[in-house]
Amino acid sequence: MFLVLFNNKYKFHMYQVLLIIHSILRYAFLFSALYAIYRSVSGWQNKLPYTDRDNKASVFLILFTHSQVVIGLLLYFVFSPYTATPMKEAMKDSVLRFWKVEHISMMLIAAVLIQVGRIVSKKASTDLEKHKKAAIFYIIGLLLVLASIPWPFANVARPWLRY
Ligand code: HEM
């Protein structure tokens, strides 16, 4: 009995903490994506060399993308009550469907695109190709993320910041 109560309380606390971190880290992701895109587009258009700074911008973007995926997976499979609903029921409700299917699939596709972007950019043989590949993949990834964040003005709305 005590263990059950303790477990539920702990689980609720962890849920709140992870939700706050996931909410704040969206901005770290967005800023790092904008910076990496800015560097790769200007490098591509102005035919600049691919420098250590470009690599660092890409590393930060990967870091925040991975962090969001790990915390998102924990929320999805362990802590969130929204994603605990069985699929059949969740599909009938637009809010539950968003959490159960739409947010996770769009975000995972975006994360894969960003990761693939880094790999193909690293493997490219010229600096121009490195910038170009990074730019294209990161821009598509960012657009997918922007479309799938539960902004306060979206159909499924969450606050700008949770604290
Ligand atoms: C760059 C990637 C991502 C961004 C920017 C992002 C952003 C967000 C935001 C802003 C929220 C709302 C937080 C709040 O209520 O204050 C949220 C909630 C959530 N996200 Fe993500 N997310 C990302 C990736 C993912 C991934 C990959 C998954 C699943 C694997 C995921 C699963 C969830 C879940 C389960 C919730 C919470 C639903 C609830 O309230 O219980 N997210 N996300």
Side-chain angles (χ1 to χ4, degrees):
M1 179 65 181
F2 171 74
L3 259 181
V4 172
L5 276 177
F6 176 81
N7 264 338
N8 283 342
K9 220 173 142 188
Y10 161 78
K11 202 171 168 182
F12 183 71
H13 188 68
M14 273 304 283
Y15 174 45
Q16 304 298 313
V17 170
L18 287 178
L19 211 51
I20 290 171
I21 300 174
H22 196 63
S23 174
I24 294 172
L25 275 186
R26 103 184 76 172
Y27 296 108
F29 168 86
L30 291 176
F31 284 124
S32 62
L34 284 175
Y35 183 59
I37 289 169
Y38 159 75
R39 291 204 64 93
S40 52
V41 169
S42 57
W44 173 17
Q45 294 304 312
N46 303 318
K47 301 187 172 57
L48 302 175
Y50 188 91
T51 64
D52 189 43
R53 278 200 169 186
D54 297 304
N55 185 43
K56 279 199 179 120
S58 148
V59 167
F60 273 104
L61 174 58
I62 295 292
L63 176 77
F64 292 122
T65 307
H66 282 199
S67 313
Q68 282 301 70
V69 169
V70 171
I71 298 171
L73 285 171
L74 277 171
L75 283 168
Y76 191 95
F77 288 107
V78 185
F79 296 103
S80 172
Y82 288 89
T83 49
T85 329
M87 188 60 92
K88 234 180 137 187
E89 277 167 54
M91 293 307 279
K92 293 182 200 147
D93 180 292
S94 65
V95 174
L96 292 182
R97 192 172 58 234
F98 175 80
W99 292 118
K100 187 90 185 175
V101 184
E102 291 158 15
H103 185 74
I104 181 171
S105 33
M106 295 284 276
M107 292 307 195
L108 285 179
I109 293 170
V112 168
L113 282 175
I114 289 168
Q115 180 66 65
V116 169
R118 171 157 172 87
I119 294 168
V120 293
S121 159
K122 280 202 90 169
K123 283 194 173 157
S125 49
T126 65
D127 285 3
L128 188 74
E129 281 295 307
K130 283 182 194 294
H131 285 306
K132 185 176 165 185
K133 290 196 164 131
I136 292 168
F137 279 91
Y138 296 166
I139 287 173
I140 301 171
L142 173 64
L143 290 178
L144 287 180
V145 170
L146 282 174
S148 319
I149 288 179
W151 297 111
F153 50 81
N155 283 337
V156 176
R158 287 292 172 87
W160 289 107
L161 203 58
R162 195 179 279 278
Y163 42 83

